[in-house]
Amino acid sequence: MINKKVNSVSEATKGISDNMTFMLGGFGLSGIPENAIAALVKSGVKGLTCISNNAGVDDFGLGLLLHQKQIKKMVSSYVGENDEFERQMLSGELDVELIPQGTLAERCRAAQAGFPAIFTPAGYGTEVAEGKETREFDGKMYVLEHAFKADFAFVKAWKGDAAGNLVFKGTARNFNPCMAGAAKITVAEVEELVPVGELDPNQIHIPGIFVQRIFQGEKYEKRIEQRTVRTRE
Amino acid sequence: MLDKTGIAKRIAKEVQDGYYVNLGIGIPTLVANYVRDDIEVEFQSENGVLGMGPFPFDGEEDADIINAGKQTITTLPGASFFDSAMSFAMIRGQHVDLTILGAMEVAENGDIANWKIPGKMVKGMGGAMDLVASAENIIVAMMHTNKRGESKILKRCSLPLTGVGCVKKVVTNLAVLEVTDKGFKLLERAPGVSVEEIKKATEGTLIIEGDIPEMSL
C-alpha cells in the first residue's frame, strides 16, 4: 500500500504559491473542499486561477478567497450567488471565463484521462465557440475544447483511506471525481479517513492512484444553499 | 391565457411512459408535479442524480442531496448518483429523452437564447448549452411576450445564443408552437385565447393551418 496520508491541512497544501491554477470540486456549496479552502485563505496565496463550477457565496466556499482578493480568474459555468464576485467582475478586478457545465466536467476528465482536447456540440454557434476550431462529424457541428492544465486539484469525498481511495456521498460527488488526477497534485479531504482495507474494493469511486495526498478534514459545516422542505400532511 | 402552472400542466402532457427527463429551473421544475401518475418517469438533475423525488420533510434535509437549483431534494427507489462527467454523458449521449427548459427568446429557426443579457450581470449558462446542443427533444416553457408586451417568439434571436437550431416545441401562456422548416406552426391555443391574439404576439413566421384547437389541460 502506498501511503498518501498527510497529518494536517497545511501539509496537504504544501507547495501552493501565487499565480497557480487550482481545480476545486463542488456544486454550489455541496461537496466543496471546505478545509483546503480555509487553508488557502489562511496562506494568503494570490493571483489564483480557480476552476470550479461555482464561486461560492459571499461568506462561504470560494467567496472566502474572493473576499481576500486572492483570485485573479474564475473558470466556472454559473456564478450567480455572490455579491462580492459581481462587484469584482463588474469593476474588472476579476477575470471570468464562463463555460458550459458539461464542457467544464469533460475538460477536467480529459486532463485526468490523458486526452489533449475533446470535441463537444455544446456552445456551437454561440459566443462560447468564438475563435475555437470546429468540425463536422456525421452532419453535426462540434467545438474543440482543450483539457485543463492545473497545479493542484482540491477534492472532497465522504470516506477515504490512506491509499487514497475515495467514496462519495449523494450529489456531493459532482465534479470531485472528474478533478481527481486532473492536476499535477491532487489533494483529497474526507469526512472520515477509515483504516486501509475497510473500504470494499467493489465500491470505491476513485482509486487511490489519482490522489497524491489525503487527510481527514477537521470539521465540515456542509452549508445548505437553498433549504427546501415540504410539510407533513 | 395560461399562468406558469398552466404552462407546466400542458407540458406535463408531453411526458411519456419510460422517459428520462431533465427539467430546467423555473416553470420546468413545476412540470414534475403534473405528470400522470400511471406512467413511469425518472427525473435527471445535471448535478448528478437520476430518480429525483419530492422535497424532503422538514428536518430530513441533507446538504449532500440537492438538485441543480441547489435545493434540498429526496430520491426515489431506483435512484442513482454519479459525477458531473457521467451526468453530461447522459445528456450529450442522448440518453435523456426529454429536456424542458425556459428561454428569454426563441426563433423560428430553432435558435434559443436564455443565458445572457448584454450590459447586465451574467451568471453563466450552467448546463443549458450542453442540454440544448445535445437533446433530441427539447420543449421550451416561456411567456409569449415580455413585460412590455414585445414578442419573445422571433424571426431571429437578438440576445446571445445558447444553442442553434435545437428547439422543437414551445409552450407559452398563449399557445403551443412547433418549430418547422417554414416557421412556427400553431398547434394549440391556450383557453380563451384567439388566433388573432397569438398572431399579434408573435414576431416570427406563424403557420396557421385549418382550425386551431384549444388546448386541454
Side-chain angles (χ1 to χ4, degrees), chain B residues 1 4 15 18 28 30 35 39 42-43 48 91 116 121 160 178 183 198 203:
Chain B
M1 196 189 298
K4 288 176 178 179
V15 179
L30 301 174
V35 173
I39 62 174
E42 284 193 29
F43 291 104
I91 291 164
K116 183 175 183 180
M121 169 65 188
E178 186 189 342
I198 296 165
E203 191 236 54

Side-chain angles (χ1 to χ4, degrees), chain B residues 5-176:
Chain B
T5 304
I7 295 173
K9 282 183 180 169
R10 175 59 192 80
I11 292 177
K13 293 178 64 179
E14 303 283 328
V15 179
Q16 292 177 24
D17 191 30
Y19 267 16
Y20 293 103
V21 182
N22 181 288
L23 300 177
I25 293 162
I27 302 174
T29 305
L30 301 174
V31 172
N33 301 330
Y34 304 106
V35 173
R36 278 163 46 196
D37 54 14
D38 61 334
I39 62 174
E40 292 298 331
V41 173
E42 284 193 29
F43 291 104
Q44 196 247 22
S45 195
E46 63 268 26
N47 60 313
V49 55
L50 192 61
M52 257 193 298
F55 295 138
F57 288 119
D58 198 357
E60 292 179 1
E61 61 274 21
D62 183 342
D64 292 332
I65 303 179
I66 62 170
N67 64 17
K70 287 128 189 166
Q71 296 171 310
T72 46
I73 55 158
T74 59
T75 55
L76 298 173
S80 54
F81 296 115
F82 35 85
D83 67 62
S84 301
M86 188 177 283
S87 179
F88 283 91
M90 291 175 192
I91 291 164
R92 222 184 287 103
Q94 301 188 335
H95 307 283
V96 173
D97 298 288
L98 176 63
T99 291
I100 302 167
L101 76 174
M104 298 169 184
E105 294 177 347
V106 294
E108 63 189 51
N109 59 358
D111 289 358
I112 178 172
N114 74 352
W115 76 285
K116 183 175 183 180
I117 300 173
K120 288 202 175 169
M121 169 65 188
V122 184
K123 294 183 172 186
M125 68 291 281
M129 284 193 181
D130 307 272
L131 282 158
V132 301
S134 311
E136 292 226 53
N137 196 359
I138 299 175
I139 300 178
V140 173
M142 65 189 295
M143 305 305 275
H144 212 100
T145 55
N146 65 21
K147 283 173 189 154
R148 294 183 300 278
E150 296 157 348
S151 185
K152 293 161 52 167
I153 311 293
L154 306 172
K155 286 193 192 314
R156 288 290 176 271
C157 289
S158 62
L159 295 170
L161 296 178
T162 307
V164 294
C166 50
V167 177
K168 302 289 186 292
K169 201 175 251 188
V170 185
V171 179
T172 75
N173 52 326
L174 303 183
V176 180

Side-chain angles (χ1 to χ4, degrees), chain A:
Chain A
M1 196 274 296
I2 301 169
N3 189 7
K4 310 290 175 71
K5 183 174 176 278
V6 293
N7 290 313
S8 65
V9 67
S10 56
E11 199 181 331
T13 52
K14 202 174 157 206
I16 56 167
S17 65
D18 290 353
N19 305 310
M20 278 187 165
T21 296
F22 295 160
M23 290 177 168
L24 300 107
F27 184 96
L29 300 178
S30 188
I32 59 173
E34 293 185 22
N35 290 271
I37 291 171
L40 296 178
V41 171
K42 206 172 153 193
S43 78
V45 284
K46 55 187 191 302
L48 302 174
T49 296
C50 291
I51 300 164
S52 170
N53 190 55
N54 311 93
V57 295
D58 275 316
D59 60 346
F60 201 55
L62 288 183
L64 299 169
L65 281 169
L66 283 164
H67 189 73
Q68 303 288 338
K69 300 190 170 58
Q70 290 172 266
I71 301 177
K72 177 181 68 183
K73 181 177 180 180
M74 279 300 310
V75 181
S76 306
S77 86
Y78 191 85
V79 292
E81 327 290 347
N82 192 319
D83 290 339
E84 176 63 11
F85 181 98
E86 185 172 343
R87 192 196 66 70
Q88 290 185 23
M89 181 175 166
L90 294 175
S91 70
E93 292 167 62
L94 180 68
D95 188 10
V96 179
E97 183 182 351
L98 292 170
I99 59 180
Q101 196 179 132
T103 301
L104 182 69
E106 209 59 29
R107 287 176 69 184
C108 294
R109 214 195 73 82
Q112 175 194 57
F115 294 113
I118 51 118
F119 277 104
T120 176
Y124 177 76
T126 76
E127 62 182 55
V128 164
E130 280 171 18
K132 292 176 184 166
E133 184 183 337
T134 58
R135 194 184 293 186
E136 186 182 327
F137 294 93
D138 297 326
K140 187 170 168 145
M141 295 304 294
Y142 295 81
V143 184
L144 187 74
E145 295 280 4
H146 291 266
F148 285 124
K149 290 188 171 72
D151 297 293
F152 279 83
F154 295 102
V155 304
K156 186 261 168 181
W158 178 37
K159 289 182 181 178
D161 62 22
N165 296 310
L166 303 177
V167 175
F168 301 90
K169 178 171 162 268
T171 53
R173 191 183 312 193
N174 56 64
F175 285 85
N176 289 296
C178 313
M179 291 175 171
K184 286 176 196 157
I185 295 172
T186 294
V187 176
E189 60 177 85
V190 295
E191 286 178 51
E192 195 186 342
L193 194 66
V194 303
V196 171
E198 192 173 305
L199 296 175
D200 179 351
N202 290 300
Q203 306 297 333
I204 284 165
H205 295 136
I206 284 291
I209 193 170
F210 292 114
V211 174
Q212 278 70 50
R213 302 173 190 170
I214 190 167
F215 70 101
Q216 181 173 308
E218 203 172 312
K219 72 175 180 73
Y220 284 96
E221 182 177 334
K222 293 176 64 164
R223 199 186 287 189
I224 291 174
E225 213 162 330
Q226 304 284 343
R227 185 180 301 275
T228 44
V229 295
R230 65 191 152 130
T231 47
R232 283 173 208 277
E233 283 161 20

